[in-house]
Amino acid sequence: MTDLAGRIRSALREAADPVRAPGQQAYMKSVMPFLGVTVPDARRIARAAATEEGAGEILDAARGLWDEASHREERYAAMALLGVRMVRREPAVPELVEHMVRTGAWWDYTDELAHRLADRLDDDPGFATPLVRAWADDPDPWIRRIAIISQVGRKQRVDAALLAAAIVPSLDHPEFFLRKAIGWALRDYARVAPDWVRAFVAAHDLSPLSRREALKHLA
């Protein structure tokens, strides 16, 4: 493990709260134990430790923390490192995001990493747009989920055609977390494009969960 990763691991253990940890583990239904550090604190610790490091060191630390994690907060810290400004555009980030989504295989990881895919859509849409389209049809439901929710929160910057392309391959998928993601992404986009969302819902056979979530705030 790199020096940066080691410093982050030590800082996480200094911030640990063993009273909080069991509740966190139960809430996340996690086999991996928790230290009892809040997610915001895990992010803060990771970013503070990385302030004087280069991109290569940060990416190496992110992979090391993720792959060698003994507690879930180490993975939260690893994901936070990918959001450090100097590494956002690094070519290795999308591959590392994919690795984390596939090996993490749970909603908290996938939803956090969706921000990194959104960063890439902003910074390099020529690369990220085909990637989202490919991931939308991936056999792994967590890879599909990150494609669907990658534009949540982007408001007027949402590429509606890309959103539709991300959703359509999963319309008949039975996975709860995909159906929830579809509804979430549509509900979010309805804040700026309600007519588009109404038309999309009317034109497609959504699951009851997805439809209900998509139209939740529309009259």
Side-chain angles (χ1 to χ4, degrees), residues 23-38:
Q24 290 177 301
Q25 186 174 0
Y27 174 74
M28 289 309 308
K29 301 179 181 178
S30 174
V31 174
M32 185 180 291
F34 279 77
L35 290 165
V37 181
T38 67

Side-chain angles (χ1 to χ4, degrees), residues 107 111 145 148-149 152 170 173-188 207-214 216:
W107 65 265
D111 294 4
R145 180 175 168 97
I148 292 167
I149 66 172
V152 168
S170 296
H173 201 291
E175 171 58 53
F176 167 83
F177 286 105
L178 283 178
R179 294 185 171 190
K180 190 76 170 179
I182 291 169
W184 177 20
L186 290 171
R187 183 180 75 238
D188 183 74
S207 71
L209 172 60
S210 297
R211 182 180 298 274
R212 183 170 62 251
E213 289 293 318
K216 191 170 186 178

Side-chain angles (χ1 to χ4, degrees), residues 137-217:
D137 203 26
D138 194 274
D140 187 334
W142 297 107
I143 294 293
R144 290 188 180 217
R145 180 175 168 97
I146 196 174
I148 292 167
I149 66 172
S150 62
Q151 298 192 84
V152 168
R154 300 183 80 228
K155 298 181 180 180
Q156 288 84 0
R157 304 196 317 281
V158 169
D159 179 340
L162 182 61
L163 177 61
I167 290 172
V168 167
S170 296
L171 285 176
D172 60 354
H173 201 291
E175 171 58 53
F176 167 83
F177 286 105
L178 283 178
R179 294 185 171 190
K180 190 76 170 179
I182 291 169
W184 177 20
L186 290 171
R187 183 180 75 238
D188 183 74
Y189 191 41
R191 299 177 188 277
V192 295
D195 291 341
W196 186 95
V197 171
R198 288 191 188 97
F200 183 89
V201 171
H204 295 85
D205 185 18
L206 275 67
S207 71
L209 172 60
S210 297
R211 182 180 298 274
R212 183 170 62 251
E213 289 293 318
L215 301 176
K216 191 170 186 178
H217 301 302

Side-chain angles (χ1 to χ4, degrees), residues 117 121 127-137 146-148 150 162 165-166:
L117 187 52
L121 283 167
F127 170 83
T129 298
L131 184 63
V132 170
R133 289 179 178 271
W135 283 3
D137 203 26
I146 196 174
I148 292 167
S150 62
L162 182 61

Side-chain angles (χ1 to χ4, degrees), residues 22-134:
Q24 290 177 301
Q25 186 174 0
Y27 174 74
M28 289 309 308
K29 301 179 181 178
S30 174
V31 174
M32 185 180 291
F34 279 77
L35 290 165
V37 181
T38 67
V39 173
D41 281 344
R43 292 173 181 154
R44 177 186 54 78
I45 287 168
R47 291 168 182 163
T51 53
E52 303 297 325
E53 302 292 344
E57 177 73 9
I58 293 170
L59 290 173
D60 287 346
R63 184 175 284 274
L65 283 167
W66 184 272
D67 287 343
E68 301 173 32
S70 60
H71 293 79
R72 207 170 184 93
E73 290 93 339
E74 291 165 356
R75 290 192 158 180
Y76 294 154
M79 293 189 293
L81 291 177
L82 298 187
V84 173
R85 184 167 296 276
M86 70 160 39
V87 305
R88 273 180 40 168
R89 296 191 180 191
E90 288 294 307
V93 170
E95 182 275 331
L96 193 47
V97 166
E98 180 179 3
H99 170 70
M100 290 177 173
V101 172
R102 291 190 189 280
T103 56
W106 199 235
W107 65 265
D108 60 332
Y109 298 142
T110 303
D111 294 4
E112 176 66 19
L113 292 164
H115 297 298
R116 306 289 74 82
L117 187 52
D119 291 342
R120 194 53 62 110
L121 283 167
D122 285 333
D123 296 339
D124 189 2
F127 170 83
T129 298
L131 184 63
V132 170
R133 289 179 178 271

